[in-house]
Amino acid sequence: MRVKGFGVIGAGSMGNGIAQVSAQAGFPTVLFDIGTAQLDRAKTTIQKSLQKLEEKGKLKETGAAIFGRIAFTTSLTDLKTCDFVVEAASENREVKFKLFAQLDELLAKDAVITTNTSSISITEIAGKTKRADKIAGMHFMNPVPIMTLVEGIRGLATSDATFAHVRAVSEAMGKTFIEAKDAPGFAVNRILMPMINEGFFALNEGLASAKDIDTALKLGCNFPMGPLELADFVGIDVCLSVCEVLHRDLGDPKYRPSPLMRKYVEAGWLGRKSGRGVYVY
Ligand code: 3HC
């Protein structure tokens, strides 16, 4: 299994982690974002992460050699020669649909294009291209260099060969691959987000303080982070958007987003990235 060029769309926390792990796997990698500021932040994040891993002896080569395998660009056409692409742009349907149509025009006919979407239908994204058989979901977890899961999702038309290739690429990146159906939230977010949402309902009801809710799940269930801490880590806006997809597409009122979660997003309290979420950073 070889990847000649691994393209990543979006230099946010998921995209930069995916580019790093691709470079660690030895793939020549191109990281695209529309803004130079995002690319500059990604460079710093990747360098710091590689430095930590190098200090702990967890890399097979130097961090500098791995970093040197990543090209950073604001021009989508620089992905032209990539034969494997992961789209990790913002979780917005229209943005993703437009990008997939552009990538379909730009890339060679046999290139595989995957999306790191946390909840949008893979079948619908694939429908924006003329290569639905070569499109799949490839859902990484945050922080990508540490979390070892990739959730693979087949769209209705994804071919067996494409899916086998996505599995092989994920495994070459050191990840454990599971397969989930193309249903709202796939496996991880179908189960994780209702728990986070319930954490906000519980907080709103005054069931316990935020800290005690998190401590309950950390010490009571051995979770590394409680639900509210994790919401701040993932981004409360991301959690809300996944809860909205679950509610709308599954049509069951049990998935309705907590009004408190919505209020936090309205206030711009998005979690760690905005300096304030359930907790202040
Ligand atoms: N690069 C390199 N090393 C990193 C790193 C990174 N990006 N992030 C953390 N580390 C290392 C730290 O250096 C530390 O190493 P050490 O143990 O050798 O000192 C180790 O990982 C643990 O980190 P910390 O000491 O800073 O803190 P924690 O022990 O709390 O671990 C955590 C941090 C790994 C994030 C842990 O809290 C955790 O597993 N949290 C849950 C994460 C989770 O659930 N992610 C999934 C979210 S859902 C998702 O992504 C799906 C999406 O669609 C919403």
Side-chain angles (χ1 to χ4, degrees), residues 6-11 29-36 38-40 42-43 70-80 82:
F6 190 112
V8 183
I9 310 280
T29 302
V30 185
L31 176 58
F32 161 83
D33 202 292
I34 45 172
T36 45
Q38 288 93 315
L39 290 174
D40 288 342
K43 282 179 195 168
I70 310 174
F72 296 82
T73 182
T74 53
S75 169
L76 194 64
T77 48
D78 287 343
L79 271 77
K80 200 174 169 58
C82 290

Side-chain angles (χ1 to χ4, degrees), residues 28-29 32 44 49 64 72 78 94 118 126 155 157 167 172 181 188 201 213 223 225 232 235 240 250 262:
T29 302
F32 161 83
T44 310
S49 174
F72 296 82
D78 287 343
E94 299 313 319
S118 38
R167 177 189 289 272
K181 282 202 174 140
V188 170
F201 274 111
I213 289 170
F223 289 0
M225 286 177 171
D232 275 1
L240 177 63
L250 293 166
R262 204 179 284 288

Side-chain angles (χ1 to χ4, degrees), residues 59-102:
L59 300 178
K60 292 191 202 113
E61 51 190 330
T62 64
I66 293 168
F67 187 76
R69 214 171 273 132
I70 310 174
F72 296 82
T73 182
T74 53
S75 169
L76 194 64
T77 48
D78 287 343
L79 271 77
K80 200 174 169 58
T81 54
C82 290
D83 53 351
F84 194 98
V85 171
V86 183
E87 173 277 316
S90 53
E91 190 68 357
N92 175 304
R93 292 158 61 82
E94 299 313 319
V95 169
K96 290 193 191 293
F97 294 167
K98 189 170 167 213
L99 273 167
F100 269 75
Q102 285 176 306

Side-chain angles (χ1 to χ4, degrees), residues 155-210:
L156 201 58
T158 309
S159 72
D160 288 347
T162 297
F163 204 66
H165 188 52
V166 174
R167 177 189 289 272
V169 170
S170 305
E171 288 172 355
M173 293 167 88
K175 305 299 182 193
T176 298
F177 188 86
I178 63 135
E179 179 176 351
K181 282 202 174 140
D182 188 15
F186 317 127
V188 170
N189 282 329
R190 171 73 179 270
I191 296 163
L192 174 66
M193 289 302 167
M195 183 193 71
I196 288 179
N197 196 27
E198 199 60 30
F200 278 90
F201 274 111
L203 180 64
N204 201 30
E205 273 171 33
L207 178 78
S209 68

Side-chain angles (χ1 to χ4, degrees), residues 14 20 49 52-53 56 58 118 139-143 145-147 188-189 192-193 224-225 230 233-234 238:
M14 298 307 286
Q20 176 185 330
S49 174
K52 271 192 211 169
L53 296 170
K56 288 181 208 146
K58 291 196 173 160
S118 38
H139 186 207
F140 290 82
M141 304 297 134
N142 191 10
I146 298 294
M147 306 297 283
V188 170
N189 282 329
L192 174 66
M193 289 302 167
M225 286 177 171
L230 186 54
F233 181 68
V234 168
V238 175

